Amino acid sequence: MSAIITFIIVFGVIVTVHEFGHFYMAKRSGILVREFAIGMGPKLVNFKKNGTTYTLRLLPLGGYVRMAGTQDDDDEIKPGTPASIAINDQNVVERINISKKNPYVNDLPVQIVKADLVDKLEIVVYENGDESQEKTYHVDHDATIVEEDGTEVLIAPRDVQFQSASLLNRILTNFAGPFNNMILSIVAYLLVAFMLGGIPEAHTDTNQVNIAPDSAIQKAGVKQNDRILEVNGKKTSTYNQVQKAVASNKKKQVELVVKHKDNVRQIKVTPQKQKNSDKKLIGISPKTTVDRSFGAKLKYGFTQPFVIVATIIGILGNMFTTGFDLNQFGGPVAIYSLTSQVSTQGIISIISFIGMLSINLGFMNLLPIPALDGGKLLLNFVEGIRGKPISEEKEGIVNLIGVAILVTLMIAVTWNDIQRFFIH
């Protein structure tokens, strides 16, 4: 249960912060944010403030910001749709209700013939079931529409739509989500640094090593900060030399010459297979000391996210030389598996996990893949070079291809994760 709760909180925080970036910048740019949703699926509760409807949805995974005029925002009302309308004293429509869940007893029942809620702001209807005469009403610029699921949002006139904002503001709005993830990651790692009270520093210029608990090398009797003088007959004076010699070992056991204080002895270590991995390790890492200075803590918070980004870039770069490997990716199943481990290790580990996931989400979203923020930014830059936007049809096709690629990849990654974490 603790793993499930932690997973919901971690995922919720990261996605909400990401979406709030888009939300904030869209508001600043004059783009109408029709809905800010936390969670997915059926609506549980909602309230409206400053033109935006805030909803909490059933499935506590993900969330979204629905901006007027974007691909996922559709206000088209099909001819023949039964509805009811609220009309003010000036005979102007203030609310259109196409939901059967939210009846308004004082509204006028109509059947919609056609509606233009973008440019003309007009609606043509048959009133009270009388199809002998059409009647046209003007729709208020700030009118609302109650959608089929009962969510009431503002209509989306052309002047407040995403494409009506300047190119710079659209670029900033698309970039704001990943940017917020970067900020969250920095804040998380700053918290970790100050909660720990200091930053461990690895020393690879010595053959003294750190020993992992319950590792193969600990079981062989090697103590913390012992020196490894030789690996399989090769002299080693630095950690990098030790690590390289161990990694190149082809035997069942690794033969080490170890110095503990003034005592030198030979031992044999059998590498252990790691959980959820095919790698066999003996359980060493570089000797570490702790830097408790304010500057070290501050530096860690600002640099650790970019260390992770560099690692991701290295992994993606290796795919061009070593080939595509699904094991380098992780979906919701992998995140849940990692969360279940982290949830037992305390609040500092959870905050660190949030920092790691947040920068991962932010960076991966910036990849120039259609349907991701990076793909949208690429289209923005293409528009800037061409001097005019790509047609909606072409943009829709590009996004459809991107969605198909992402869905296919997600299915493959999820199945691979299930096999890695639960079947093997």
Side-chain angles (χ1 to χ4, degrees), residues 118-416:
V118 176
D119 296 308
K120 293 182 179 180
L121 299 183
E122 288 182 349
I123 185 170
V124 181
V125 300
Y126 296 129
E127 293 182 355
N128 294 311
D130 181 7
E131 298 185 12
S132 63
Q133 186 175 3
E134 296 178 355
K135 190 161 185 180
T136 302
Y137 286 96
H138 178 69
V139 180
D140 188 80
H141 182 277
D142 297 322
T144 62
I145 179 169
V146 183
E147 300 175 314
E148 291 184 3
D149 70 348
T151 304
E152 185 175 4
V153 297
L154 288 176
I155 64 171
R158 180 78 62 188
D159 63 302
V160 293
Q161 289 194 3
F162 182 80
Q163 288 298 336
S164 296
S166 69
L167 177 60
L168 176 60
N169 280 334
R170 281 181 278 138
I171 289 173
L172 292 175
T173 299
N174 285 329
F175 180 69
F179 178 77
N180 259 24
N181 282 127
M182 181 181 72
I183 298 300
L184 174 61
S185 185
I186 290 172
V187 170
Y189 282 115
L190 281 172
L191 282 173
V192 167
F194 282 93
M195 290 173 75
L196 285 173
I199 304 304
E201 289 187 333
H203 299 276
T204 58
D205 56 348
T206 176
N207 55 10
Q208 281 185 286
V209 292
N210 185 46
I211 305 300
D214 298 322
S215 61
I217 197 167
Q218 186 190 56
K219 293 172 183 177
V222 180
K223 307 295 184 183
Q224 200 78 310
N225 291 328
D226 280 1
R227 295 182 179 276
I228 299 181
L229 306 179
E230 292 183 17
V231 178
N232 291 335
K234 295 180 181 178
K235 292 185 182 295
T236 51
S237 58
T238 67
Y239 175 78
N240 290 335
Q241 291 175 349
V242 173
Q243 185 185 43
K244 185 177 179 180
V246 171
S248 62
N249 178 66
K250 302 298 182 182
K251 303 174 185 178
K252 184 177 180 180
Q253 293 181 317
V254 184
E255 297 176 1
L256 305 176
V257 175
V258 178
K259 184 177 182 181
H260 178 70
K261 296 182 179 179
D262 294 326
N263 182 33
V264 177
R265 63 193 180 100
Q266 291 184 329
I267 63 168
K268 293 183 179 181
V269 181
T270 303
Q272 292 179 345
K273 187 176 179 181
Q274 303 303 293
K275 185 179 180 181
N276 302 326
S277 173
D278 292 330
K279 292 182 178 179
K280 291 185 176 182
L281 303 175
I282 63 173
I284 59 171
S285 58
K287 175 190 174 184
T288 57
T289 55
V290 178
D291 188 340
R292 302 188 183 279
S293 68
F294 179 84
K297 298 170 188 174
L298 205 62
K299 179 182 176 183
Y300 180 81
F302 281 91
T303 58
Q304 186 62 19
F306 297 99
V307 170
I308 296 172
V309 168
T311 302
I312 298 171
I313 292 173
I315 291 171
L316 293 175
N318 286 338
M319 288 185 181
F320 290 99
T321 55
T322 61
F324 184 82
D325 183 5
L326 274 179
N327 289 326
Q328 301 284 3
F329 294 87
V333 174
I335 294 173
Y336 175 77
S337 179
L338 291 172
T339 304
S340 65
Q341 299 173 35
V342 170
S343 64
T344 63
Q345 298 170 9
I347 186 65
I348 294 178
S349 294
I350 293 172
I351 295 173
S352 180
F353 189 54
I354 289 174
M356 184 273 290
L357 282 183
S358 187
I359 195 65
N360 265 271
L361 175 64
F363 179 79
M364 296 302 287
N365 250 288
L366 285 175
L367 294 178
I369 299 173
L372 294 181
D373 293 328
K376 296 172 185 176
L377 285 168
L378 179 61
L379 292 177
N380 291 149
F381 294 138
V382 170
E383 176 183 340
I385 295 170
R386 294 175 74 235
K388 60 180 181 179
I390 296 173
S391 68
E392 288 187 13
E393 286 186 7
K394 290 181 180 177
E395 184 175 346
I397 292 171
V398 169
N399 283 327
L400 189 63
I401 293 171
V403 169
I405 293 171
L406 289 175
V407 169
T408 302
L409 179 61
M410 182 57 70
I411 292 172
V413 167
T414 301
W415 175 242
N416 187 62

